Amino acid sequence: MADCLICTNSIEPFHDFGRMPIANGFLRPEQVTDEFFFELKVGFCPSCKMVQLTELVDPDKLFHDDYAYFSSISTRMAEHFRQYAEWVREKYTAAADPLVIEVGSNDGIMLRNFSNAGVRHVGVEPSANVAQAAREQGINTLCEFFNEETARQICDEYGQADAVLGANVICHIPDLHSIFAGLDVLLKPTGVFVFEEPYLGDIVEKASYDQVYDEHFFYFSLHSVRSLARRHGMELIDVLPQSVHGGSMRYVIARQGSHRPTASVAEILNREIDNGLAHAATFVRLSERIDASRDALVGLLQELKGQGKRIAGYGATSKSTTVTNFCGIGPDLVEFISDTTPGKQGKLSPGVHIPVVPYSHFAESRPDVALLFAWNHASEILANETAFRAGGGQFVVYVPEVRILDDKTSYRHAG
Ligand code: SAH
Ligand code: TYD
């Protein structure tokens, strides 16, 4: 049994997704023969409550100079990060000449708001291609992994920070103790660490198992984040649920005693107890729901295919790699996946090798069914696809349950 990456107790594995390729590892046909696979298995630590992968893929294999995900591809997310930045500025940058650091700043989707406002900032982004996209917009970016060493380097050059920010990145970092050691160096005495990540409570509620993939080493709850922060002399001082990425949580952490925790922290901690997020039995039940979801999805796709319908994937998300490989959905069921990211187009999806095509192909070839892999962007996508639906096209979703969306059904899980 694997040891917890946070507290070293034994973790209890609760679901095995089987052999899995790199979630963002879209490949050219000639790369198929040496594709990398690992065992995707997730477990719960009964001691510190952290849900985590039991086998880790080396971060250098995941984050490099050809990283597939450019954050700014979504206008909805650009607006979300504008609001996130504004909220941080209002609440935590009252000092003269404040300094803001962002971990995993990608193509600058959040930091451009600080840069435009003339706030001193440093982005820390190890994937060279996305870091370069940020630099081209004048965003100050260090192309490194954030850890204790880079925190010291930044502190030496710029001094201590008012706020260290992150989004959809802290759960990507296996050595969280090094991150906290870095924060201890880098944060001013009243400085804050603010980050938001897919929330375990939403994953359990919606059985959104497609959040489980190589880059997501951890699946945070308030219980596990609080326990981690306490080990480093810090505490959880605020939490704010977010609707993005299928349900996320924003955590605010500061040195113990430096800020008074809000009422939301105690409220949501209590809700987690009611929802069983601190109990192993919840995850055993989740595993059963994941298997049932797979059977229902494969059953529905086979039925639609049997009716002669052409099925396409919508959005070559990292999450879709878990769904297609776990469910065994290949090009026989899903003809192609449409995606707006140029770097994914013309490639094959990881593991099951469904061709990824530009959006124009989806529009021109008019499939009957769109399997909504990018379900977390549903509000944006459904608003853009009224013509597809008016022409008889159907969307299939699998979160929180497998179903066909008809014109009248709203989809409240839209991000
Ligand atoms: N924050 C952006 C990007 C999320 S994708 C958003 O929410 O859209 C995760 C990003 O974190 C990638 O760009 C990846 O290269 C980066 N990353 C991964 N490990 C990191 C680390 N240790 N330090 C800093 N960035 C990291
Ligand atoms: P996303 O769900 O943000 O991420 P993840 O990879 O973490 O699961 O990825 C959305 C993908 O969907 C991205 O590759 C772009 C694509 N996409 C479209 O093709 N069309 C759209 O209208 C939107 C919003 C996204």
Side-chain angles (χ1 to χ4, degrees):
M1 209 181 275
D3 291 339
C4 174
L5 286 165
I6 307 298
C7 74
T8 72
N9 278 289
S10 292
I11 51 179
E12 295 176 3
F14 63 83
H15 196 83
D16 189 346
F17 292 91
R19 198 169 159 267
M20 203 53 72
I22 302 285
N24 259 318
F26 297 89
L27 9 82
R28 290 186 298 277
E30 67 273 18
Q31 293 173 311
V32 161
T33 44
D34 47 43
E35 192 169 9
F36 174 85
F37 287 89
F38 70 105
E39 188 76 9
L40 182 67
K41 215 191 255 187
V42 66
F44 170 71
C45 173
S47 176
C48 77
K49 318 300 180 196
M50 189 67 87
V51 170
Q52 58 200 277
L53 299 186
T54 63
E55 189 182 317
L56 303 186
V57 177
D58 179 356
D60 289 328
K61 273 201 161 55
L62 307 176
F63 310 114
H64 40 62
D65 59 4
D66 191 22
Y67 186 59
Y69 185 69
F70 281 71
S71 303
S72 298
I73 206 88
S74 162
T75 48
R76 161 90 170 84
M77 289 311 295
E79 173 55 18
H80 173 75
F81 284 115
R82 191 190 64 72
Q83 290 174 16
Y84 184 164
E86 199 166 295
W87 179 84
V88 170
R89 279 189 64 205
E90 275 172 15
K91 262 184 106 84
Y92 297 115
T93 61
D97 196 19
L99 174 66
V100 172
I101 313 295
E102 188 187 353
V103 181
S105 45
N106 198 275
D107 60 8
I109 190 167
M110 171 136 74
L111 278 187
R112 75 170 65 106
N113 298 289
F114 291 97
S115 170
N116 292 343
V119 176
R120 281 195 308 139
H121 62 276
V122 185
V124 189
E125 174 48 67
S127 297
N129 58 333
V130 292
Q132 182 56 26
R135 283 181 179 149
E136 281 164 12
Q137 300 160 64
I139 297 161
N140 186 24
T141 308
L142 181 66
C143 188
E144 296 285 353
F145 285 94
F146 183 78
N147 52 31
E148 185 177 355
E149 193 189 325
T150 38
R152 285 187 191 284
Q153 201 180 318
I154 295 169
C155 196
D156 287 347
E157 192 172 343
Y158 300 90
Q160 284 187 313
D162 297 80
V164 175
L165 312 179
N168 309 301
V169 60
I170 305 305
C171 71
H172 295 46
I173 302 177
D175 187 0
L176 289 180
H177 296 310
S178 171
I179 301 303
F180 273 83
L183 290 170
D184 196 32
V185 172
L186 192 52
L187 279 182
K188 285 182 180 171
T190 56
V192 288
F193 175 38
V194 187
F195 63 99
E196 60 180 49
E197 314 282 319
Y199 177 51
L200 182 65
D202 286 286
I203 296 174
V204 169
E205 185 196 326
K206 299 169 195 171
S208 44
Y209 66 87
D210 56 351
Q211 295 286 7
V212 181
Y213 58 89
D214 48 19
E215 293 181 17
H216 292 170
F217 295 122
F218 299 106
Y219 306 84
F220 296 135
S221 63
L222 270 63
H223 275 82
S224 58
V225 168
R226 179 180 64 167
S227 162
L228 170 65
R230 281 182 173 170
R231 284 173 180 272
H232 294 273
M234 298 206 180
E235 67 184 325
L236 193 52
I237 59 158
D238 203 3
V239 280
L240 296 96
Q242 305 290 319
S243 63
V244 294
H245 286 308
S248 296
M249 187 65 75
R250 184 177 300 168
Y251 304 91
V252 186
I253 286 173
R255 295 181 201 277
Q256 240 149 36
S258 66
H259 295 253
R260 184 198 294 264
T262 64
S264 314
V265 176
E267 263 165 40
I268 303 183
L269 276 166
N270 284 334
R271 199 190 305 160
E272 289 189 351
I273 297 283
D274 295 344
N275 294 341
L277 296 193
H279 291 105
T282 304
F283 302 101
V284 174
R285 278 197 301 277
L286 176 62
S287 173
E288 290 162 6
R289 290 163 61 211
I290 293 172
D291 285 340
S293 172
R294 173 195 54 198
D295 296 348
L297 180 60
V298 173
L300 177 61
L301 296 180
Q302 282 172 343
E303 190 185 321
L304 291 167
K305 185 89 186 171
Q307 292 164 5
K309 298 202 163 146
R310 290 175 50 226
I311 306 170
Y314 200 112
T317 57
S318 327
K319 296 184 286 294
S320 68
T321 297
T322 297
V323 176
T324 51
N325 285 275
F326 173 58
C327 299
I329 297 170
D332 50 330
L333 274 180
V334 170
E335 202 176 300
F336 59 82
I337 306 175
S338 156
D339 197 283
T340 50
T341 315
K344 295 181 186 176
Q345 297 162 359
K347 293 189 176 164
L348 298 171
S349 75
V352 293
H353 306 154
I354 302 171
V356 180
V357 300
Y359 177 72
S360 54
H361 185 81
F362 176 87
E364 283 154 20
S365 83
R366 295 171 169 271
D368 303 295
V369 176
L371 174 55
L372 189 53
F373 288 130
W375 58 270
N376 49 310
H377 295 286
S379 52
E380 191 170 337
I381 292 170
L382 295 179
N384 288 336
E385 294 300 345
T386 47
F388 169 70
R389 297 176 88 189
Q394 292 177 308
F395 276 97
V396 165
V397 293
Y398 45 85
V399 174
E401 72 268 328
V402 173
R403 67 186 166 112
I404 298 173
L405 290 183
D406 64 41
D407 268 349
K408 285 158 231 81
T409 27
S410 66
Y411 188 62
R412 71 179 176 83
H413 303 280

PDB file of all heavy atoms in Angstrom, residues 266-293:
ATOM      1  N   ALA A 266     -15.625  27.343   9.087  1.00  0.00           N
ATOM      2  CA  ALA A 266     -16.289  26.383   9.987  1.00  0.00           C
ATOM      3  C   ALA A 266     -17.532  25.792   9.321  1.00  0.00           C
ATOM      4  O   ALA A 266     -17.797  24.583   9.427  1.00  0.00           O
ATOM      5  CB  ALA A 266     -16.656  27.076  11.291  1.00  0.00           C
ATOM      6  N   GLU A 267     -18.276  26.637   8.601  1.00  0.00           N
ATOM      7  CA  GLU A 267     -19.512  26.154   7.945  1.00  0.00           C
ATOM      8  C   GLU A 267     -19.210  25.042   6.946  1.00  0.00           C
ATOM      9  O   GLU A 267     -19.865  23.999   6.938  1.00  0.00           O
ATOM     10  CB  GLU A 267     -20.138  27.293   7.132  1.00  0.00           C
ATOM     11  CG  GLU A 267     -21.240  28.043   7.835  1.00  0.00           C
ATOM     12  CD  GLU A 267     -21.526  29.358   7.110  1.00  0.00           C
ATOM     13  OE1 GLU A 267     -21.523  29.364   5.859  1.00  0.00           O
ATOM     14  OE2 GLU A 267     -21.716  30.369   7.820  1.00  0.00           O
ATOM     15  N   ILE A 268     -18.226  25.278   6.103  1.00  0.00           N
ATOM     16  CA  ILE A 268     -17.963  24.272   5.058  1.00  0.00           C
ATOM     17  C   ILE A 268     -17.265  23.048   5.648  1.00  0.00           C
ATOM     18  O   ILE A 268     -17.494  21.921   5.197  1.00  0.00           O
ATOM     19  CB  ILE A 268     -17.238  24.891   3.842  1.00  0.00           C
ATOM     20  CG1 ILE A 268     -18.100  26.042   3.302  1.00  0.00           C
ATOM     21  CG2 ILE A 268     -17.002  23.857   2.750  1.00  0.00           C
ATOM     22  CD1 ILE A 268     -17.577  26.737   2.063  1.00  0.00           C
ATOM     23  N   LEU A 269     -16.477  23.239   6.696  1.00  0.00           N
ATOM     24  CA  LEU A 269     -15.891  22.061   7.366  1.00  0.00           C
ATOM     25  C   LEU A 269     -17.016  21.170   7.904  1.00  0.00           C
ATOM     26  O   LEU A 269     -16.987  19.942   7.755  1.00  0.00           O
ATOM     27  CB  LEU A 269     -14.989  22.503   8.525  1.00  0.00           C
ATOM     28  CG  LEU A 269     -13.552  22.891   8.154  1.00  0.00           C
ATOM     29  CD1 LEU A 269     -12.882  23.624   9.302  1.00  0.00           C
ATOM     30  CD2 LEU A 269     -12.721  21.673   7.748  1.00  0.00           C
ATOM     31  N   ASN A 270     -18.035  21.784   8.500  1.00  0.00           N
ATOM     32  CA  ASN A 270     -19.168  21.004   9.022  1.00  0.00           C
ATOM     33  C   ASN A 270     -19.920  20.297   7.900  1.00  0.00           C
ATOM     34  O   ASN A 270     -20.315  19.143   8.028  1.00  0.00           O
ATOM     35  CB  ASN A 270     -20.135  21.904   9.796  1.00  0.00           C
ATOM     36  CG  ASN A 270     -19.556  22.244  11.156  1.00  0.00           C
ATOM     37  OD1 ASN A 270     -18.743  21.491  11.696  1.00  0.00           O
ATOM     38  ND2 ASN A 270     -19.960  23.393  11.699  1.00  0.00           N
ATOM     39  N   ARG A 271     -20.090  21.019   6.790  1.00  0.00           N
ATOM     40  CA  ARG A 271     -20.788  20.408   5.652  1.00  0.00           C
ATOM     41  C   ARG A 271     -19.999  19.199   5.138  1.00  0.00           C
ATOM     42  O   ARG A 271     -20.583  18.182   4.737  1.00  0.00           O
ATOM     43  CB  ARG A 271     -20.950  21.448   4.543  1.00  0.00           C
ATOM     44  CG  ARG A 271     -22.025  21.073   3.543  1.00  0.00           C
ATOM     45  CD  ARG A 271     -22.004  21.974   2.318  1.00  0.00           C
ATOM     46  NE  ARG A 271     -22.113  23.371   2.656  1.00  0.00           N
ATOM     47  CZ  ARG A 271     -21.737  24.361   1.836  1.00  0.00           C
ATOM     48  NH1 ARG A 271     -21.235  24.094   0.637  1.00  0.00           N
ATOM     49  NH2 ARG A 271     -21.862  25.616   2.196  1.00  0.00           N
ATOM     50  N   GLU A 272     -18.680  19.291   5.178  1.00  0.00           N
ATOM     51  CA  GLU A 272     -17.866  18.153   4.717  1.00  0.00           C
ATOM     52  C   GLU A 272     -18.074  16.928   5.603  1.00  0.00           C
ATOM     53  O   GLU A 272     -18.078  15.793   5.107  1.00  0.00           O
ATOM     54  CB  GLU A 272     -16.376  18.537   4.680  1.00  0.00           C
ATOM     55  CG  GLU A 272     -16.061  19.504   3.554  1.00  0.00           C
ATOM     56  CD  GLU A 272     -14.574  19.744   3.344  1.00  0.00           C
ATOM     57  OE1 GLU A 272     -13.766  19.295   4.192  1.00  0.00           O
ATOM     58  OE2 GLU A 272     -14.225  20.380   2.336  1.00  0.00           O
ATOM     59  N   ILE A 273     -18.258  17.173   6.894  1.00  0.00           N
ATOM     60  CA  ILE A 273     -18.525  16.039   7.804  1.00  0.00           C
ATOM     61  C   ILE A 273     -19.864  15.412   7.409  1.00  0.00           C
ATOM     62  O   ILE A 273     -19.968  14.187   7.232  1.00  0.00           O
ATOM     63  CB  ILE A 273     -18.588  16.517   9.277  1.00  0.00           C
ATOM     64  CG1 ILE A 273     -17.246  17.099   9.709  1.00  0.00           C
ATOM     65  CG2 ILE A 273     -19.057  15.398  10.222  1.00  0.00           C
ATOM     66  CD1 ILE A 273     -16.161  16.096  10.018  1.00  0.00           C
ATOM     67  N   ASP A 274     -20.888  16.260   7.206  1.00  0.00           N
ATOM     68  CA  ASP A 274     -22.213  15.743   6.821  1.00  0.00           C
ATOM     69  C   ASP A 274     -22.143  14.969   5.509  1.00  0.00           C
ATOM     70  O   ASP A 274     -22.840  13.989   5.311  1.00  0.00           O
ATOM     71  CB  ASP A 274     -23.219  16.894   6.650  1.00  0.00           C
ATOM     72  CG  ASP A 274     -23.484  17.605   7.968  1.00  0.00           C
ATOM     73  OD1 ASP A 274     -23.147  17.024   9.026  1.00  0.00           O
ATOM     74  OD2 ASP A 274     -23.995  18.742   7.946  1.00  0.00           O
ATOM     75  N   ASN A 275     -21.300  15.434   4.580  1.00  0.00           N
ATOM     76  CA  ASN A 275     -21.221  14.789   3.267  1.00  0.00           C
ATOM     77  C   ASN A 275     -20.219  13.643   3.213  1.00  0.00           C
ATOM     78  O   ASN A 275     -19.972  13.072   2.157  1.00  0.00           O
ATOM     79  CB  ASN A 275     -20.866  15.828   2.193  1.00  0.00           C
ATOM     80  CG  ASN A 275     -21.977  16.847   2.013  1.00  0.00           C
ATOM     81  OD1 ASN A 275     -23.118  16.596   2.404  1.00  0.00           O
ATOM     82  ND2 ASN A 275     -21.657  17.997   1.460  1.00  0.00           N
ATOM     83  N   GLY A 276     -19.637  13.332   4.346  1.00  0.00           N
ATOM     84  CA  GLY A 276     -18.768  12.154   4.428  1.00  0.00           C
ATOM     85  C   GLY A 276     -17.391  12.320   3.801  1.00  0.00           C
ATOM     86  O   GLY A 276     -16.701  11.327   3.538  1.00  0.00           O
ATOM     87  N   LEU A 277     -16.943  13.570   3.586  1.00  0.00           N
ATOM     88  CA  LEU A 277     -15.648  13.740   2.907  1.00  0.00           C
ATOM     89  C   LEU A 277     -14.463  13.332   3.766  1.00  0.00           C
ATOM     90  O   LEU A 277     -13.341  13.216   3.273  1.00  0.00           O
ATOM     91  CB  LEU A 277     -15.459  15.188   2.445  1.00  0.00           C
ATOM     92  CG  LEU A 277     -16.429  15.720   1.398  1.00  0.00           C
ATOM     93  CD1 LEU A 277     -15.914  17.022   0.818  1.00  0.00           C
ATOM     94  CD2 LEU A 277     -16.649  14.726   0.277  1.00  0.00           C
ATOM     95  N   ALA A 278     -14.727  13.123   5.052  1.00  0.00           N
ATOM     96  CA  ALA A 278     -13.625  12.721   5.933  1.00  0.00           C
ATOM     97  C   ALA A 278     -13.693  11.218   6.246  1.00  0.00           C
ATOM     98  O   ALA A 278     -12.988  10.744   7.130  1.00  0.00           O
ATOM     99  CB  ALA A 278     -13.675  13.551   7.216  1.00  0.00           C
ATOM    100  N   HIS A 279     -14.554  10.473   5.493  1.00  0.00           N
ATOM    101  CA  HIS A 279     -14.739   9.044   5.800  1.00  0.00           C
ATOM    102  C   HIS A 279     -14.509   8.140   4.601  1.00  0.00           C
ATOM    103  O   HIS A 279     -15.032   8.393   3.511  1.00  0.00           O
ATOM    104  CB  HIS A 279     -16.143   8.820   6.359  1.00  0.00           C
ATOM    105  CG  HIS A 279     -16.290   9.441   7.712  1.00  0.00           C
ATOM    106  ND1 HIS A 279     -16.986  10.608   7.908  1.00  0.00           N
ATOM    107  CD2 HIS A 279     -15.772   9.085   8.909  1.00  0.00           C
ATOM    108  CE1 HIS A 279     -16.891  10.943   9.185  1.00  0.00           C
ATOM    109  NE2 HIS A 279     -16.168  10.042   9.821  1.00  0.00           N
ATOM    110  N   ALA A 280     -13.751   7.089   4.844  1.00  0.00           N
ATOM    111  CA  ALA A 280     -13.369   6.178   3.765  1.00  0.00           C
ATOM    112  C   ALA A 280     -14.575   5.569   3.045  1.00  0.00           C
ATOM    113  O   ALA A 280     -14.535   5.352   1.830  1.00  0.00           O
ATOM    114  CB  ALA A 280     -12.480   5.074   4.333  1.00  0.00           C
ATOM    115  N   ALA A 281     -15.673   5.309   3.769  1.00  0.00           N
ATOM    116  CA  ALA A 281     -16.831   4.630   3.170  1.00  0.00           C
ATOM    117  C   ALA A 281     -17.409   5.436   1.995  1.00  0.00           C
ATOM    118  O   ALA A 281     -17.913   4.872   1.015  1.00  0.00           O
ATOM    119  CB  ALA A 281     -17.916   4.421   4.236  1.00  0.00           C
ATOM    120  N   THR A 282     -17.300   6.762   2.070  1.00  0.00           N
ATOM    121  CA  THR A 282     -17.812   7.636   0.990  1.00  0.00           C
ATOM    122  C   THR A 282     -17.118   7.304  -0.328  1.00  0.00           C
ATOM    123  O   THR A 282     -17.737   7.318  -1.395  1.00  0.00           O
ATOM    124  CB  THR A 282     -17.518   9.120   1.356  1.00  0.00           C
ATOM    125  OG1 THR A 282     -18.100   9.356   2.623  1.00  0.00           O
ATOM    126  CG2 THR A 282     -18.042  10.088   0.326  1.00  0.00           C
ATOM    127  N   PHE A 283     -15.834   6.993  -0.234  1.00  0.00           N
ATOM    128  CA  PHE A 283     -15.055   6.782  -1.455  1.00  0.00           C
ATOM    129  C   PHE A 283     -15.277   5.378  -2.009  1.00  0.00           C
ATOM    130  O   PHE A 283     -15.187   5.167  -3.217  1.00  0.00           O
ATOM    131  CB  PHE A 283     -13.585   7.126  -1.182  1.00  0.00           C
ATOM    132  CG  PHE A 283     -13.472   8.554  -0.711  1.00  0.00           C
ATOM    133  CD1 PHE A 283     -13.314   8.861   0.643  1.00  0.00           C
ATOM    134  CD2 PHE A 283     -13.640   9.587  -1.607  1.00  0.00           C
ATOM    135  CE1 PHE A 283     -13.275  10.178   1.072  1.00  0.00           C
ATOM    136  CE2 PHE A 283     -13.617  10.912  -1.186  1.00  0.00           C
ATOM    137  CZ  PHE A 283     -13.430  11.205   0.161  1.00  0.00           C
ATOM    138  N   VAL A 284     -15.608   4.457  -1.148  1.00  0.00           N
ATOM    139  CA  VAL A 284     -15.961   3.112  -1.626  1.00  0.00           C
ATOM    140  C   VAL A 284     -17.263   3.220  -2.436  1.00  0.00           C
ATOM    141  O   VAL A 284     -17.390   2.664  -3.530  1.00  0.00           O
ATOM    142  CB  VAL A 284     -16.109   2.134  -0.435  1.00  0.00           C
ATOM    143  CG1 VAL A 284     -16.607   0.782  -0.901  1.00  0.00           C
ATOM    144  CG2 VAL A 284     -14.774   2.008   0.308  1.00  0.00           C
ATOM    145  N   ARG A 285     -18.201   4.005  -1.933  1.00  0.00           N
ATOM    146  CA  ARG A 285     -19.461   4.220  -2.673  1.00  0.00           C
ATOM    147  C   ARG A 285     -19.201   4.972  -3.973  1.00  0.00           C
ATOM    148  O   ARG A 285     -19.794   4.671  -5.003  1.00  0.00           O
ATOM    149  CB  ARG A 285     -20.461   5.017  -1.816  1.00  0.00           C
ATOM    150  CG  ARG A 285     -21.231   4.154  -0.813  1.00  0.00           C
ATOM    151  CD  ARG A 285     -22.455   4.874  -0.298  1.00  0.00           C
ATOM    152  NE  ARG A 285     -22.141   6.138   0.351  1.00  0.00           N
ATOM    153  CZ  ARG A 285     -21.737   6.262   1.629  1.00  0.00           C
ATOM    154  NH1 ARG A 285     -21.635   5.179   2.379  1.00  0.00           N
ATOM    155  NH2 ARG A 285     -21.469   7.437   2.138  1.00  0.00           N
ATOM    156  N   LEU A 286     -18.297   5.942  -3.925  1.00  0.00           N
ATOM    157  CA  LEU A 286     -17.974   6.699  -5.143  1.00  0.00           C
ATOM    158  C   LEU A 286     -17.450   5.748  -6.225  1.00  0.00           C
ATOM    159  O   LEU A 286     -17.830   5.850  -7.395  1.00  0.00           O
ATOM    160  CB  LEU A 286     -16.926   7.784  -4.828  1.00  0.00           C
ATOM    161  CG  LEU A 286     -16.418   8.593  -6.031  1.00  0.00           C
ATOM    162  CD1 LEU A 286     -17.550   9.378  -6.700  1.00  0.00           C
ATOM    163  CD2 LEU A 286     -15.304   9.552  -5.608  1.00  0.00           C
ATOM    164  N   SER A 287     -16.623   4.817  -5.837  1.00  0.00           N
ATOM    165  CA  SER A 287     -16.067   3.865  -6.798  1.00  0.00           C
ATOM    166  C   SER A 287     -17.191   3.081  -7.495  1.00  0.00           C
ATOM    167  O   SER A 287     -17.161   2.866  -8.714  1.00  0.00           O
ATOM    168  CB  SER A 287     -15.111   2.922  -6.065  1.00  0.00           C
ATOM    169  OG  SER A 287     -14.688   1.916  -6.937  1.00  0.00           O
ATOM    170  N   GLU A 288     -18.196   2.683  -6.718  1.00  0.00           N
ATOM    171  CA  GLU A 288     -19.323   1.941  -7.316  1.00  0.00           C
ATOM    172  C   GLU A 288     -20.078   2.825  -8.310  1.00  0.00           C
ATOM    173  O   GLU A 288     -20.491   2.389  -9.381  1.00  0.00           O
ATOM    174  CB  GLU A 288     -20.281   1.465  -6.206  1.00  0.00           C
ATOM    175  CG  GLU A 288     -19.663   0.373  -5.350  1.00  0.00           C
ATOM    176  CD  GLU A 288     -20.374   0.179  -4.000  1.00  0.00           C
ATOM    177  OE1 GLU A 288     -21.430   0.819  -3.760  1.00  0.00           O
ATOM    178  OE2 GLU A 288     -19.856  -0.593  -3.191  1.00  0.00           O
ATOM    179  N   ARG A 289     -20.230   4.111  -7.952  1.00  0.00           N
ATOM    180  CA  ARG A 289     -20.939   5.032  -8.856  1.00  0.00           C
ATOM    181  C   ARG A 289     -20.133   5.270 -10.129  1.00  0.00           C
ATOM    182  O   ARG A 289     -20.691   5.461 -11.210  1.00  0.00           O
ATOM    183  CB  ARG A 289     -21.220   6.355  -8.130  1.00  0.00           C
ATOM    184  CG  ARG A 289     -22.281   6.193  -7.030  1.00  0.00           C
ATOM    185  CD  ARG A 289     -22.251   7.360  -6.052  1.00  0.00           C
ATOM    186  NE  ARG A 289     -22.522   8.633  -6.671  1.00  0.00           N
ATOM    187  CZ  ARG A 289     -22.010   9.807  -6.258  1.00  0.00           C
ATOM    188  NH1 ARG A 289     -21.197   9.845  -5.223  1.00  0.00           N
ATOM    189  NH2 ARG A 289     -22.316  10.923  -6.870  1.00  0.00           N
ATOM    190  N   ILE A 290     -18.816   5.272 -10.010  1.00  0.00           N
ATOM    191  CA  ILE A 290     -17.960   5.465 -11.196  1.00  0.00           C
ATOM    192  C   ILE A 290     -18.155   4.284 -12.163  1.00  0.00           C
ATOM    193  O   ILE A 290     -18.320   4.468 -13.370  1.00  0.00           O
ATOM    194  CB  ILE A 290     -16.482   5.608 -10.774  1.00  0.00           C
ATOM    195  CG1 ILE A 290     -16.280   6.908  -9.995  1.00  0.00           C
ATOM    196  CG2 ILE A 290     -15.555   5.551 -11.985  1.00  0.00           C
ATOM    197  CD1 ILE A 290     -14.880   7.069  -9.362  1.00  0.00           C
ATOM    198  N   ASP A 291     -18.163   3.076 -11.624  1.00  0.00           N
ATOM    199  CA  ASP A 291     -18.363   1.901 -12.490  1.00  0.00           C
ATOM    200  C   ASP A 291     -19.738   1.956 -13.162  1.00  0.00           C
ATOM    201  O   ASP A 291     -19.883   1.653 -14.344  1.00  0.00           O
ATOM    202  CB  ASP A 291     -18.232   0.610 -11.669  1.00  0.00           C
ATOM    203  CG  ASP A 291     -16.776   0.292 -11.337  1.00  0.00           C
ATOM    204  OD1 ASP A 291     -15.880   0.820 -12.025  1.00  0.00           O
ATOM    205  OD2 ASP A 291     -16.538  -0.472 -10.376  1.00  0.00           O
ATOM    206  N   ALA A 292     -20.743   2.367 -12.400  1.00  0.00           N
ATOM    207  CA  ALA A 292     -22.107   2.430 -12.955  1.00  0.00           C
ATOM    208  C   ALA A 292     -22.168   3.494 -14.058  1.00  0.00           C
ATOM    209  O   ALA A 292     -22.828   3.297 -15.095  1.00  0.00           O
ATOM    210  CB  ALA A 292     -23.105   2.749 -11.837  1.00  0.00           C
ATOM    211  N   SER A 293     -21.477   4.614 -13.851  1.00  0.00           N
ATOM    212  CA  SER A 293     -21.468   5.693 -14.846  1.00  0.00           C
ATOM    213  C   SER A 293     -20.818   5.205 -16.152  1.00  0.00           C
ATOM    214  O   SER A 293     -21.323   5.463 -17.248  1.00  0.00           O
ATOM    215  CB  SER A 293     -20.704   6.896 -14.274  1.00  0.00           C
ATOM    216  OG  SER A 293     -20.532   7.871 -15.262  1.00  0.00           O
TER     217      SER A 293
END
